[in-house]
Amino acid sequence: MTTIDALAATLRTVLGDERVISDRQELRTYECDGLAHYKVIPALVVFPHTAAECATAVKACVEAGVPFVARGSGTGLSGGALPRADGVLIVTSQMRQIVEIAPQDERAVVQPGVINLHVTRAASPRGYYYAPDPSSQQICSIGGNVAENSGGAHCLKYGFTTNHVTGVEIVTPDGDLVHLGGRAPDAPGYDLLGAFVGSEGTLGIATEVTVRLVRLPESVRTLLAAFPSTDAAGAATSAIIGAGVVPAAIEMMDALAIEAAEAAVHCDYPQGAGAVLIVELDGPAAEVEAQFVHVERFCRDNGAFEIRIAADDAERALFWKGRKSAFAAVGRISPDYIVQDGVIPRTALPEVLHRIGEIAAERGVRVANVFHAGDGNLHPLVLFDDSVDGEAERAEEVSGAILDLCISHGGSITGEHGVGMDKAKYMPRMYSDDDLDTMQLVRCAFDPRGLSNPGKVFPTPRLCGEVPGRHKGAHPLQEAGLAEVF
Amino acid sequence: MSVPFDGLVPATDSDVIAGVPARFVAAPTSTEEASAIVRGAAEHGLTTVVRGAGTKQDWAAPPRTLDLIIDTGRLTGVLEHAAGDLITVVRAGTPLSELADKLAPAGQQLAIDAPIQTSTVGGTVAVNMSGPRRMLYGTVRDLLIGVTVVRPDGVVARAGGKVVKNVAGYDLGKLITGSYGTLGLVTECVFRLHPLPAISAYVSRRFTSVGEAGHAVAAVLGAQVVPTAIEVDAGPDGVVEVCVLLEGVPEGVEARVATVRTLLGGDHPTGSDTAPTWWSAYPWAAGDVGIKLTAALSTVPLLLAAGQAARERHGVPLALRGSAGTGVLYASLPGTTEPATVAAVLDDLRAAATNASGHAVVVTAPSPVRDRLDLWGPVAGLDLMRRVKQQFDPDARFAPGRFVGGI
Ligand SMILES: Cc1cc2nc3c(=O)[nH]c(=O)nc-3n(C[C@H](O)[C@H](O)[C@H](O)COP(=O)(O)OP(=O)(O)OC[C@H]3O[C@@H](n4cnc5c(N)ncnc54)[C@H](O)[C@@H]3O)c2cc1C
């Protein structure tokens, strides 16, 4: 009996036959995450229902010396949940219980497989919501959000997942159940919770998550402004932020991204725009009203030739529709594309956008730009046609060059999609060996055996020379209408 | 006395940490110099404690042994203030007040309160200090976006960066925040900044019962007024004052002040543009006993009630003050209180905090009292914490014994 067969037998006794998959055909369902370019068929897939079961599964892996990888909804865009051929994939999709909605404590307690949007759905009848809003929120899991420290359009004002998680129960890579943080703030000792959030499954598996709930705002105002150029839209953004306004969101699309969105969802954005901005303010009504006037003026002063103000929720949704679909929509104007995720200081925006334009032109590749303008998180979409010789390679070059550009401007190689296996090789460009070595100290403390999602985040020889990820057409989730991409 | 290597000077009588005298002192002027000193200390096996302004050296437990104090007094200055990007890079020894002065002309702030006025940036990070405005802006962990640390082996490591949005690698800044100098020496910090509000208004009301005060706080929390802070001050006389801070543009704040006055109820909730005298100050003075209590939000009144009960039961002038809007309160007892009495009060408060899903941690106490107390209480994840310490500081030379579980 092989190690895996023996492990499968052990896991079947604990979890029952139906919750352990070893059939190769069935295993294929789990061969990739949202970065579908990388595929590895796991040795086993298991579905725990409880923290205790999850701990037992991990313990069994540890005893067998077999690596394990956590998976939530599999929407990750950096290959974080990519299985190991010699390992077990622990899927949380049957851990979907909302344990408690406690608005009086501004907290919710959920199992890790709970879908992001379901937390808000459960809390909103009581006047609260869960603020981090990745555009995959209709399908991604809270456990995945915790692992990736996911962001969303409204994180400009409200912060990222890490600012909204106050406690986790985890299965350590040794198979022990440990609580970090909790319902009250500032638990004594090291902030291991802070280290765990964003650790991409390499420090253990979250089995229960306590999140902050935020009171719904009294008022929300949204405008769509059309500018002749991204420079003008960038200047308006600078004016808004420079004036001390903290919008809930400021999102920008360039002409190519607008073209794609028009083709896909007929969002009817103003004709002839070189860029559009969506600016949303929320908060107490009087506060929002007073600031909204300024925002409108800053847009006009910086060359906006048309400004539309959402009259109601329906119109607001329409504004957002173009923006939210832009990513997927790119599939309408290009057979293939790479989704990039990089960050620059916001003030470097004009310079970096010009440079991206130059790099793209030099290589004969088109780049559509969609981004969170407020915090400098770029999502350039590098378009190419895989059937044309050499285009894929050129697109990859451009995509890599954009990351270098982010680093040289003092930014980051990822603002929300994570490092995973896709960007591990870029980590040494952003951090020194000593920096990475220091991060690995934490890894060694949690996972001395290196069994929890090995090969992710930190570069290892195994990852050298891998091709960066790319999407063939739209992601299956987008096609199914389940998710949209920012 | 001769020094073991360059860069150290013999300690003087005032170079004492929580009652433990040091042998040497070093005051590096750069990360590189700091690294050389820490390397030297590692080679010579010197136990080391980092000192900022020295305002919190009587916090936590004393070091088990102490050879070297590394003073950050010359590691000062704001290296960068990128106003358009709302970030600043500042050296660890810089006083928070100096940083505030540098940022204010651009209409910006590092939104961390300084209950102790002279605190340095590094000291604030090391003990994770916070005040009233944490309700809106979060704490150090939410605002620190990059950090440079000299590890106990002298290696210089950076984590995070200069952009607010960044998920590349582990967030070591959070691990360092609140680590009481046990994982290394912080030399530089990068912070996210916020615009200074156009105006601020404080709305206060005094309540004679804990229950009424609790209801008022809950009402404000449930409204959509987005307070920057909701503070309570419960003195030994049994009166509980609730004060709500509202910030924003004049038109907006005016409307919200009106709402909060109604919510606080009674005839005389007062509004003012200046804070009450007790605002953002710990309820203790130097030499007193200071305890930090935390609770799930809705159970803050339980803590207030426990404070009142402890007053009556043990006959002590216990004062409680803090952030009712986030579930963090500070308790104080006079430093002259009998150690056995302090221990009994702490037991009661800790039981209440545990019931409230929180913790009771002794922040500071005179040494005869401190010696009798379990400063931290139960700590979840202690084994993992020990393993982290072991990785960073295998010889336990950085602030040995000062932290949880004797770390
Ligand atoms: C259409 C689309 C739109 C997107 N938009 C955004 C966006 O706006 N913002 C954004 O930040 N991201 C976005 N993403 C990326 C992705 O949705 C997020 O990273 C999300 O948090 C992943 O959640 P998941 O449940 O799918 O996790 P998975 O993909 O299953 O896993 C992601 C990582 O988390 C680990 N993991 C999963 N569960 C656990 C657990 N319980 N404990 C420990 N580790 C765990 C995995 O090992 C893996 O490393 C988008 C993706 C798609 C496909």
Side-chain angles (χ1 to χ4, degrees), chain B residues 98-145:
Chain B
E98 184 183 321
L99 177 60
D101 291 344
K102 284 263 158 55
L103 302 175
Q108 296 184 355
Q109 59 169 334
L110 170 59
I112 295 173
D113 292 301
I116 301 174
Q117 302 280 326
T118 50
S119 295
T120 62
V121 165
T124 301
V125 171
V127 305
N128 188 19
M129 191 169 72
S130 66
R133 295 178 303 157
R134 61 177 289 158
M135 185 177 176
L136 185 69
Y137 299 106
T139 55
V140 172
R141 81 192 290 281
D142 302 298
L143 301 172
L144 183 72
I145 58 171

Side-chain angles (χ1 to χ4, degrees), chain A residues 104-106 128 148-149 151-152 156 159-160 162-163 165 170 172 174 178-180 183-195 198-200 202-203 215-218 241 244 246 283-284 286-287 290-291 343-347 372 375 377 410-419 427 430-431 434-435 437-439 441-448 457-458, chain B residues 84-86 128 130 134-135 139 141-142 151 155-172 174-175 177-179 182-183 192 194-195 221-226 247-249 251-253 255-256 292 294-299 325-328 330 356-359 361 376 378-381 383-389 391-392 403-404 407:
Chain A
Q104 74 283 6
D105 290 334
E106 296 181 358
Y128 288 78
E148 300 286 4
N149 186 14
L156 173 64
F160 316 102
T162 191
N163 310 110
V165 172
I170 65 166
T172 69
D174 291 341
V178 173
H179 287 265
L180 308 175
R183 196 175 286 228
D186 300 1
Y190 294 133
D191 186 358
L192 299 184
L193 171 66
S199 63
E200 305 192 21
T202 62
L203 299 181
R215 186 75 175 92
L216 284 164
E218 185 179 25
I241 291 189
V246 184
E287 202 78 31
Q291 300 227 12
V343 189
I344 52 165
R346 196 188 49 74
T347 49
H372 309 298
D375 49 27
N377 188 186
S412 172
I413 58 171
T414 169
E416 53 186 23
H417 295 168
V419 178
M427 288 288 274
M430 186 168 161
Y431 296 113
D434 286 341
D435 301 342
D437 178 65
T438 306
M439 289 182 195
L441 294 178
V442 180
R443 163 100 179 162
C444 294
F446 276 74
D447 186 18
V457 184
F458 301 105
Chain B
D85 295 317
L86 285 151
N128 188 19
S130 66
R134 61 177 289 158
M135 185 177 176
T139 55
R141 81 192 290 281
D142 302 298
R151 289 185 344 202
V155 167
V156 176
R158 291 181 175 81
K162 291 207 248 174
V163 283
V164 171
K165 210 166 179 185
N166 173 16
V167 296
Y170 297 158
D171 194 343
L172 293 184
K174 295 206 173 41
L175 190 65
T177 300
S179 65
T182 58
L183 296 178
R192 159 183 205 174
H194 282 89
L221 282 170
Q224 292 163 310
V225 290
V226 192
E247 296 178 327
V249 296
E251 308 89 311
V253 171
R256 291 150 71 204
K292 177 173 175 176
T294 59
L297 211 47
S298 64
T299 46
T326 60
V328 179
Y330 298 94
S357 315
H359 296 269
V361 169
W376 305 95
V379 178
D383 177 51
L384 282 174
M385 292 173 194
R386 290 210 166 96
R387 283 157 68 162
V388 168
K389 170 72 173 179
Q391 289 292 329
F392 277 78
F403 202 43
V404 295
I407 286 175

Side-chain angles (χ1 to χ4, degrees), chain A residues 342-361:
Chain A
V343 189
I344 52 165
R346 196 188 49 74
T347 49
L349 211 57
E351 195 188 328
V352 169
L353 285 183
H354 283 288
R355 192 65 202 118
I356 290 177
E358 284 167 18
I359 292 169

Side-chain angles (χ1 to χ4, degrees), chain A residues 364-388:
Chain A
V365 168
R366 292 191 303 165
V367 176
N369 283 295
V370 175
F371 45 85
H372 309 298
D375 49 27
N377 188 186
L378 311 176
H379 287 312
L381 305 163
V382 185
L383 315 185
F384 67 101
D385 183 349
D386 206 12
S387 64
V388 177

Side-chain angles (χ1 to χ4, degrees), chain A residues 83-447:
Chain A
R84 294 266 304 201
D86 59 347
V88 177
L89 193 70
I90 301 179
V91 183
T92 63
S93 62
Q94 298 185 19
M95 299 180 76
R96 289 217 168 139
Q97 210 190 321
I98 294 179
V99 180
E100 192 184 347
I101 298 286
Q104 74 283 6
D105 290 334
E106 296 181 358
R107 296 288 185 270
V109 183
V110 301
Q111 282 195 310
V114 166
I115 303 303
N116 173 301
L117 192 60
H118 294 182
V119 182
T120 287
R121 280 208 189 123
S124 54
R126 310 191 46 189
Y128 288 78
Y129 74 112
Y130 177 60
D133 59 340
S135 35
S136 50
Q137 71 178 150
Q138 298 182 37
I139 182 161
C140 65
S141 72
I142 293 290
N145 293 171
V146 168
E148 300 286 4
N149 186 14
S150 298
H154 293 81
C155 290
L156 173 64
K157 178 170 177 183
Y158 292 100
F160 316 102
T161 301
T162 191
N163 310 110
H164 292 270
V165 172
T166 65
V168 282
E169 174 193 57
I170 65 166
V171 176
T172 69
D174 291 341
D176 298 326
L177 277 173
V178 173
H179 287 265
L180 308 175
R183 196 175 286 228
D186 300 1
Y190 294 133
D191 186 358
L192 299 184
L193 171 66
F196 186 86
V197 177
S199 63
E200 305 192 21
T202 62
L203 299 181
I205 303 182
T207 49
E208 190 173 277
V209 185
T210 305
V211 299
R212 274 177 65 201
L213 295 177
V214 178
R215 186 75 175 92
L216 284 164
E218 185 179 25
S219 162
V220 183
R221 300 290 314 267
T222 313
L223 66 72
L224 176 82
F227 295 85
S229 66
T230 52
D231 278 358
T237 306
S238 289
I240 292 165
I241 291 189
V245 179
V246 184
I250 308 187
E251 300 286 315
M252 201 195 296
M253 288 164 71
D254 72 0
L256 193 52
I258 298 169
E259 181 193 322
E262 284 300 347
V265 298
H266 314 290
C267 48
D268 192 28
Y269 283 178
Q271 298 246 315
V276 294
L277 274 189
I278 297 175
V279 187
E280 190 158 289
L281 299 187
D282 69 8
E287 202 78 31
V288 170
E289 282 318 311
Q291 300 227 12
F292 200 70
V293 177
H294 296 301
V295 169
E296 214 184 317
R297 183 168 48 79
F298 289 132
C299 287
R300 225 176 280 289
D301 288 353
N302 284 285
F305 61 82
E306 186 171 341
I307 294 179
R308 298 180 190 165
I309 295 168
D312 50 29
D313 284 350
E315 204 171 343
R316 179 178 4 269
L318 212 60
F319 290 179
W320 279 108
K321 188 173 180 190
R323 171 63 184 83
K324 290 192 180 190
S325 64
F327 227 71
V330 162
R332 297 291 183 105
I333 60 166
S334 176
D336 303 278
Y337 60 97
I338 297 172
V339 177
Q340 194 44 284
D341 167 39
V343 189
I344 52 165
R346 196 188 49 74
T347 49
L349 211 57
E351 195 188 328
V352 169
L353 285 183
H354 283 288
R355 192 65 202 118
I356 290 177
E358 284 167 18
I359 292 169
E362 279 162 22
R363 310 286 213 292
V365 168
R366 292 191 303 165
V367 176
N369 283 295
V370 175
F371 45 85
H372 309 298
D375 49 27
N377 188 186
L378 311 176
H379 287 312
L381 305 163
V382 185
L383 315 185
F384 67 101
D385 183 349
D386 206 12
S387 64
V388 177
D389 240 16
E391 268 209 14
E393 288 69 26
R394 290 206 302 278
E396 275 149 22
E397 273 170 41
V398 169
S399 179
I402 291 173
L403 285 189
D404 284 332
L405 203 55
C406 291
I407 296 169
S408 68
H409 279 83
S412 172
I413 58 171
T414 169
E416 53 186 23
H417 295 168
V419 178
M421 78 106 48
D422 189 39
K423 287 184 174 172
K425 66 171 181 290
Y426 287 101
M427 288 288 274
R429 298 199 201 170
M430 186 168 161
Y431 296 113
S432 74
D433 288 351
D434 286 341
D435 301 342
L436 292 174
D437 178 65
T438 306
M439 289 182 195
Q440 300 254 32
L441 294 178
V442 180
R443 163 100 179 162
C444 294
F446 276 74
D447 186 18

